[in-house]
Amino acid sequence: MSTRIIALTLLGLVMGFIILMASVSFFVREPLPIVGANQTLLLHTVELTPQIRTSVAIDGGYRVDLTVEHSEAQDPQVVLRPVGGQAIMLDTGTDSSGAWSGSGQMTRPGRWELILTNGTEREIMPFIVRE
């Protein structure tokens, strides 16, 4: 009898652990993308139309290079900042295809926001920079 109680208790603990791990996907709906040194993160707008595609490339010294591909009718304003902080200065320009590009020095790892504004429309794209 005591062997059955021990076996049922262990079964209950194991099943509880499995259910707990499976339920994590219900709590984390849309995890933030994570980018580190020497990696590139591709983001695209959902709320702005037509869609704007961006590339965030970070080198080993945490210098960031942004490329923003947009239609000719759009003139997006781009701001890159840590969450709750001041925007970093970006050296900006356009390439031969008309895509906007900018580069600057990231100040710290953690949560960052890429803010695109086109006229009265605005979209904030959060991501995480890891060490």
Side-chain angles (χ1 to χ4, degrees):
M1 181 75 164
S2 65
T3 306
R4 287 184 183 173
I5 292 173
I6 293 172
L8 288 173
T9 303
L10 287 175
L11 177 65
L13 290 173
V14 168
M15 291 303 291
F17 180 74
I18 291 171
I19 291 171
L20 177 69
M21 290 295 115
S23 69
V24 168
S25 63
F26 295 115
F27 298 116
V28 181
R29 297 270 184 226
E30 295 179 28
L32 293 179
I34 299 173
V35 64
N38 301 317
Q39 293 181 335
T40 301
L41 175 64
L42 301 175
L43 299 169
H44 64 277
T45 60
V46 177
E47 298 169 7
L48 296 177
T49 53
Q51 186 179 63
I52 299 175
R53 292 179 300 279
T54 61
S55 168
V56 180
I58 301 174
D59 69 8
Y62 289 93
R63 183 146 180 87
V64 63
D65 291 318
L66 294 172
T67 303
V68 180
E69 298 176 12
H70 55 87
S71 72
E72 292 180 10
Q74 294 173 312
D75 184 26
Q77 303 297 315
V78 180
V79 175
L80 181 64
R81 70 177 184 201
V83 172
Q86 295 293 324
I88 63 171
M89 295 296 296
L90 296 172
D91 299 324
T92 63
T94 56
D95 63 12
S96 60
S97 66
W100 184 94
S101 62
S103 62
Q105 181 66 47
M106 295 188 118
T107 55
R108 63 179 186 226
R111 292 183 65 157
W112 283 76
E113 295 174 330
L114 178 63
I115 303 168
L116 298 175
T117 307
N118 185 39
T120 60
E121 297 178 310
R122 179 178 171 182
E123 184 161 348
I124 299 173
M125 295 184 284
F127 61 95
I128 296 174
V129 176
R130 69 173 175 216
E131 290 186 50

